[in-house]
Amino acid sequence: MRASIFVFLCLAGVAHAADDSVIQYDCIPNYANWGGVTALYKQKSGVTVPPDPKGSSVAMAALEREKDAPRADCAYYSGAIGVAASQKGLHQPYKPTGWDKIPAGLKDKDGQWWTVHTGTIALVINTKALGAVPMPKTWDDLLKPEYKGKVTYDDPTWGGTGFTFVYGINALKGGSATNWKPGLEWLKKLDANISRYPRESIYNDVLRGEVAIWINADGNGYKMKWVDKGPVEVVVPKDGTVSMPLVMGMVKGAPHVAATKKYFDWLLSAEAQAEFAKSFFRPVVPGALPAELRDKFLPDAAYAGVKNLPLAEMATASEGLKKAWLAEIGKK
């Protein structure tokens, strides 16, 4: 009898532990305020969502490796990588509370993925590190010799932000989902001024001035300027740029399905959306951007040239473009 009671208590403890955690791949604390969001969720629900350093592409690769015995419950990605993960059958459908508030182009009709917030690819510039060098205003400015060693963007085979930039610059330079030559040729020229292609978050490196120009999401730059009080400015290139929806998906075979559904429901609440907005990523739920933050973005006119690219086409091109980038640029 005592043994039976002991086994029962152990099993109950395991079930309770399962209810108290959600494992999210790509949960970097200083990206999009995931640290603040998950801390608030822990406070509200008692559920822990541990930090995870994987970028979008690495998260998708991990899910592929683990698909027969999933360890993660959900993942966060840049839009195209999240769509690609769903195309690979790595997700299961779920439409969280608030689903109807998400614009049609920013969610899968069956609930395989959905947008949590959006960003814009921009130049995040540490003005102290830039020194006397003029502030770049266009993408082509970055090709000038005075920016040698001052420019960085994330390895696109690691993170979705880097991939969105690489795909986006190709579109801006006249390429397409099947023609990557214009973008790759331009990126080869930029390579002369690149200091490195990181495979981890360099948010703190930029804030400290170890990197002068980081091609990344505008929200990261605004957070450095307004929250961290760093010598940082955000530049949206005058020759255009691209938007970046950030999406979520529930892993097929997730260990903690019920807890993940509750977590997803909360992420679209006004409370969670406002917490994300502290990192200056634009909420997907209309009206969730706090008024005190709205005026800290660049004027709407600066964003007039932002293009929204078809996520399905980006997803289809993702593996091929990443391989081409590795072969022609990232091999050094």
Side-chain angles (χ1 to χ4, degrees):
M1 176 66 75
R2 289 181 179 178
S4 298
I5 293 173
F6 177 76
V7 170
F8 173 77
L9 290 174
C10 287
L11 289 174
V14 170
H16 180 67
D19 291 338
D20 284 353
S21 65
V22 171
I23 305 303
Q24 174 181 316
Y25 283 174
D26 194 349
C27 189
I28 300 171
N30 60 11
Y31 191 98
N33 197 32
W34 276 109
V37 169
T38 55
L40 180 58
Y41 190 61
K42 172 74 171 180
Q43 176 188 328
K44 304 291 290 189
S45 68
V47 174
T48 298
V49 184
D52 180 82
K54 299 178 187 67
S56 298
S57 294
V58 175
M60 181 173 68
L63 293 182
E64 287 189 273
R65 289 193 303 271
E66 300 163 5
K67 63 183 179 181
D68 293 332
R71 301 176 187 176
D73 297 298
C74 62
Y76 170 74
Y77 322 82
S78 70
I81 305 302
V83 175
S86 72
Q87 291 175 346
K88 292 173 179 286
L90 300 174
H91 295 169
Q92 60 178 304
Y94 181 64
K95 297 180 180 180
T97 302
W99 171 263
D100 293 341
K101 297 178 181 179
I102 302 174
L106 296 178
K107 59 187 175 184
D108 173 66
K109 63 182 180 62
D110 298 319
Q112 294 284 347
W113 58 268
W114 48 275
T115 299
V116 67
H117 48 230
T118 63
T120 298
I121 299 298
L123 309 181
V124 177
I125 300 174
N126 185 304
T127 56
K128 185 175 181 180
L130 191 63
V133 177
M135 191 89 75
K137 297 180 180 179
T138 69
W139 291 115
D140 286 348
D141 281 348
L142 297 180
L143 304 182
K144 296 176 180 178
E146 54 259 47
Y147 296 104
K148 186 174 181 63
K150 294 185 178 295
V151 185
T152 299
Y153 66 89
D154 300 347
D155 182 330
T157 69
W158 170 76
T161 308
F163 172 76
T164 301
F165 162 62
V166 168
Y167 188 94
I169 199 69
N170 181 61
L172 293 169
K173 294 301 177 182
S176 69
T178 56
N179 175 20
W180 308 322
K181 185 175 180 180
L184 291 174
E185 289 300 319
W186 189 89
L187 289 167
K188 286 178 186 177
K189 295 176 184 177
L190 181 64
D191 183 72
N193 290 343
I194 294 289
S195 60
R196 55 181 164 133
Y197 298 107
R199 291 179 58 84
E200 60 185 1
S201 174
I202 60 166
Y203 182 100
N204 290 327
D205 304 52
V206 180
L207 188 59
R208 288 192 296 263
E210 295 169 17
V211 174
I213 302 171
W214 188 26
I215 301 172
N216 206 263
D218 59 341
N220 282 326
Y222 291 130
K223 183 172 182 288
M224 289 180 196
K225 178 178 180 175
W226 297 110
V227 178
D228 301 316
K229 308 300 182 183
V232 173
E233 296 293 338
V234 174
V235 172
V236 177
K238 291 185 176 181
D239 43 350
T241 188
V242 296
S243 64
M244 183 176 66
L246 288 306
V247 308
M248 304 288 293
M250 185 184 296
V251 175
K252 187 175 183 179
H256 313 130
V257 172
T260 304
K261 287 181 178 180
K262 291 179 182 178
Y263 176 54
F264 275 11
D265 291 345
W266 182 78
L267 289 179
L268 285 178
S269 70
E271 180 179 53
Q273 290 280 294
E275 190 68 22
F276 278 125
K278 291 179 181 179
S279 65
F280 297 92
F281 281 71
R282 296 178 186 269
V284 73
V285 175
L289 181 64
E292 65 271 18
L293 298 180
R294 197 173 297 119
D295 292 339
K296 294 182 178 180
F297 284 83
L298 288 172
D300 290 345
Y303 288 88
V306 176
K307 293 185 176 180
N308 298 311
L309 301 176
L311 293 181
E313 290 183 10
M314 290 179 69
T316 300
S318 62
E319 294 304 316
L321 180 54
K322 285 187 283 189
K323 288 179 182 177
W325 182 89
L326 275 175
E328 299 192 32
I329 297 168
K331 61 185 179 183
K332 73 172 187 177

